[in-house]
Amino acid sequence: MSEETRKILEMLANGKVTVPEAERLLAALGGNDAAPSGTGKRNLKYLVVTVNGSKDENGKPVNVNVRVPLQMLRAGVKLASLIPVVAKDKINQALSEQGMKFDVDSLKPENLQEIIDAMEELTVDVDGGQETVRVRCE
């Protein structure tokens, strides 16, 4: 990551620029964070969630920027294979009680990589009144 990109991301994290402003600044840099030419794919490193527009009790804007390293997700999936069967059953039951039909045994490293590859072009924008939520991989 270039120094200019790092500065823009720091400004975004500190609330000095909005997400659209940061995107314009990054675009002006010429996409220095793309993968080397000829690979066809970017080297995705983070799952990014941003929330902008919320206000605290004093009316001051509150911006949330979360960057989860995809490597952490990969490690978590590998660790999930170490969960005892009894615990997996309890996890699956608890998820089911919350309306989430999901089997922890379905978490496999190769499946996660497929999901990460599919998210290369994923950007989800949600406008909800005063807040804007954005989920993407970069």
Side-chain angles (χ1 to χ4, degrees):
M1 176 184 310
S2 71
E3 184 61 29
E4 293 86 1
T5 300
R6 187 176 314 280
K7 286 180 182 178
I8 293 168
L9 293 175
E10 286 175 2
M11 289 189 314
L12 179 61
N14 293 329
K16 294 179 181 178
V17 296
T18 65
V19 171
E21 290 168 335
E23 287 176 337
R24 283 191 293 276
L25 290 169
L26 291 169
L29 288 176
N32 292 336
D33 289 329
S37 60
T39 63
K41 288 192 174 190
R42 297 180 306 157
N43 184 16
L44 301 175
K45 294 183 180 181
Y46 299 97
L47 174 66
V48 180
V49 179
T50 57
V51 180
N52 294 311
S54 299
K55 299 197 185 292
D56 66 11
E57 60 276 355
N58 298 321
K60 184 177 178 182
V62 176
N63 297 318
V64 178
N65 298 298
V66 179
R67 292 171 50 98
V68 179
L70 292 175
Q71 194 60 35
M72 182 184 288
L73 295 176
R74 290 182 186 102
V77 169
K78 289 177 185 173
L79 287 174
S81 67
L82 301 175
I83 298 173
V85 174
V86 174
K88 287 182 185 180
D89 291 341
K90 289 182 180 181
I91 293 168
N92 289 336
Q93 181 180 357
L95 289 171
S96 179
E97 289 171 0
Q98 295 299 317
M100 298 174 60
K101 302 295 181 196
F102 184 78
D103 183 359
V104 175
D105 284 324
S106 67
L107 286 174
K108 305 274 187 244
E110 59 273 10
N111 297 350
L112 182 63
Q113 188 57 48
E114 288 177 24
I115 293 169
I116 291 170
D117 290 344
M119 288 191 308
E120 179 177 5
E121 296 183 20
L122 170 74
T123 298
V124 178
D125 291 317
V126 179
D127 292 320
Q130 297 178 357
E131 294 89 18
T132 301
V133 179
R134 186 156 194 223
V135 179
R136 66 189 183 284
C137 284
E138 56 181 45

